[in-house]
mmCIF file of all heavy atoms in Angstrom:
data_model
loop_
_atom_site.group_PDB
_atom_site.id
_atom_site.type_symbol
_atom_site.label_atom_id
_atom_site.label_comp_id
_atom_site.label_asym_id
_atom_site.label_seq_id
_atom_site.Cartn_x
_atom_site.Cartn_y
_atom_site.Cartn_z
ATOM 1 N N MET A 10 70.407 -32.175 -29.205
ATOM 2 C CA MET A 10 69.032 -32.538 -29.532
ATOM 3 C C MET A 10 68.971 -33.428 -30.774
ATOM 4 O O MET A 10 68.209 -34.393 -30.807
ATOM 5 C CB MET A 10 68.178 -31.286 -29.735
ATOM 6 C CG MET A 10 66.733 -31.571 -30.099
ATOM 7 S SD MET A 10 65.761 -32.316 -28.771
ATOM 8 C CE MET A 10 65.471 -30.871 -27.774
ATOM 9 N N ALA A 12 71.228 -35.545 -32.039
ATOM 10 C CA ALA A 12 71.683 -36.903 -31.726
ATOM 11 C C ALA A 12 70.642 -37.638 -30.881
ATOM 12 O O ALA A 12 70.374 -38.826 -31.104
ATOM 13 C CB ALA A 12 73.028 -36.862 -31.004
ATOM 14 N N GLY A 38 60.751 -34.535 -50.424
ATOM 15 C CA GLY A 38 59.419 -34.561 -51.014
ATOM 16 C C GLY A 38 58.294 -34.822 -50.043
ATOM 17 O O GLY A 38 57.152 -34.967 -50.459
ATOM 18 N N GLY A 53 55.818 -27.227 -18.808
ATOM 19 C CA GLY A 53 56.321 -27.182 -17.445
ATOM 20 C C GLY A 53 56.576 -25.733 -17.083
ATOM 21 O O GLY A 53 56.430 -24.836 -17.917
ATOM 22 N N GLU A 54 56.952 -25.483 -15.843
ATOM 23 C CA GLU A 54 57.213 -24.111 -15.415
ATOM 24 C C GLU A 54 58.390 -23.494 -16.151
ATOM 25 O O GLU A 54 58.400 -22.301 -16.424
ATOM 26 C CB GLU A 54 57.475 -24.073 -13.910
ATOM 27 C CG GLU A 54 56.226 -24.265 -13.079
ATOM 28 C CD GLU A 54 56.505 -24.075 -11.596
ATOM 29 O OE1 GLU A 54 57.455 -23.360 -11.234
ATOM 30 O OE2 GLU A 54 55.744 -24.663 -10.803
ATOM 31 N N THR A 57 58.396 -25.155 -22.343
ATOM 32 C CA THR A 57 57.177 -25.487 -23.075
ATOM 33 C C THR A 57 57.585 -25.811 -24.510
ATOM 34 O O THR A 57 58.657 -25.430 -24.972
ATOM 35 C CB THR A 57 56.161 -24.319 -23.095
ATOM 36 O OG1 THR A 57 56.800 -23.157 -23.628
ATOM 37 C CG2 THR A 57 55.629 -24.024 -21.713
ATOM 38 N N LEU A 62 55.635 -35.266 -35.455
ATOM 39 C CA LEU A 62 56.082 -36.370 -36.298
ATOM 40 C C LEU A 62 55.304 -36.293 -37.603
ATOM 41 O O LEU A 62 54.088 -36.499 -37.614
ATOM 42 C CB LEU A 62 55.857 -37.720 -35.619
ATOM 43 C CG LEU A 62 56.173 -38.952 -36.465
ATOM 44 C CD1 LEU A 62 57.655 -38.985 -36.867
ATOM 45 C CD2 LEU A 62 55.781 -40.222 -35.717
ATOM 46 N N GLN A 71 51.013 -48.038 -43.739
ATOM 47 C CA GLN A 71 51.847 -49.244 -43.710
ATOM 48 C C GLN A 71 52.192 -49.628 -42.267
ATOM 49 O O GLN A 71 52.085 -50.788 -41.879
ATOM 50 C CB GLN A 71 53.125 -49.009 -44.514
ATOM 51 C CG GLN A 71 54.127 -50.148 -44.455
ATOM 52 C CD GLN A 71 55.435 -49.800 -45.147
ATOM 53 O OE1 GLN A 71 55.475 -48.975 -46.059
ATOM 54 N NE2 GLN A 71 56.509 -50.417 -44.714
ATOM 55 N N GLY A 126 46.694 -33.516 -44.189
ATOM 56 C CA GLY A 126 46.564 -32.642 -45.341
ATOM 57 C C GLY A 126 47.806 -32.680 -46.195
ATOM 58 O O GLY A 126 48.662 -33.544 -46.031
ATOM 59 N N GLN A 138 63.236 -22.549 -29.815
ATOM 60 C CA GLN A 138 64.325 -23.311 -30.427
ATOM 61 C C GLN A 138 63.692 -24.434 -31.244
ATOM 62 O O GLN A 138 62.961 -25.265 -30.711
ATOM 63 C CB GLN A 138 65.241 -23.880 -29.346
ATOM 64 C CG GLN A 138 66.323 -24.786 -29.890
ATOM 65 C CD GLN A 138 67.100 -25.488 -28.785
ATOM 66 O OE1 GLN A 138 67.183 -24.995 -27.659
ATOM 67 N NE2 GLN A 138 67.647 -26.641 -29.096
ATOM 68 N N LEU A 142 64.678 -32.964 -37.824
ATOM 69 C CA LEU A 142 65.485 -34.124 -38.165
ATOM 70 C C LEU A 142 64.815 -34.874 -39.311
ATOM 71 O O LEU A 142 63.841 -35.600 -39.108
ATOM 72 C CB LEU A 142 65.639 -35.049 -36.953
ATOM 73 C CG LEU A 142 66.423 -36.330 -37.194
ATOM 74 C CD1 LEU A 142 67.869 -36.024 -37.576
ATOM 75 C CD2 LEU A 142 66.361 -37.234 -35.974
ATOM 76 N N LYS A 158 60.768 -23.902 -25.854
ATOM 77 C CA LYS A 158 60.975 -22.539 -25.356
ATOM 78 C C LYS A 158 61.231 -22.647 -23.864
ATOM 79 O O LYS A 158 60.444 -23.237 -23.124
ATOM 80 C CB LYS A 158 59.751 -21.671 -25.613
ATOM 81 C CG LYS A 158 59.942 -20.257 -25.104
ATOM 82 C CD LYS A 158 58.754 -19.381 -25.421
ATOM 83 C CE LYS A 158 59.005 -17.969 -24.912
ATOM 84 N NZ LYS A 158 57.902 -17.067 -25.229
ATOM 85 N N LEU A 159 62.353 -22.062 -23.447
ATOM 86 C CA LEU A 159 62.670 -22.030 -22.027
ATOM 87 C C LEU A 159 62.085 -20.765 -21.444
ATOM 88 O O LEU A 159 62.310 -19.671 -21.949
ATOM 89 C CB LEU A 159 64.168 -22.096 -21.824
ATOM 90 C CG LEU A 159 64.793 -23.397 -22.353
ATOM 91 C CD1 LEU A 159 66.306 -23.324 -22.338
ATOM 92 C CD2 LEU A 159 64.299 -24.590 -21.558
#
Side-chain angles (χ1 to χ4, degrees):
M10 179 69 77
E54 286 186 26
T57 55
L62 175 62
Q71 175 186 333
Q138 175 188 334
L142 178 63
K158 180 177 181 178
L159 298 171

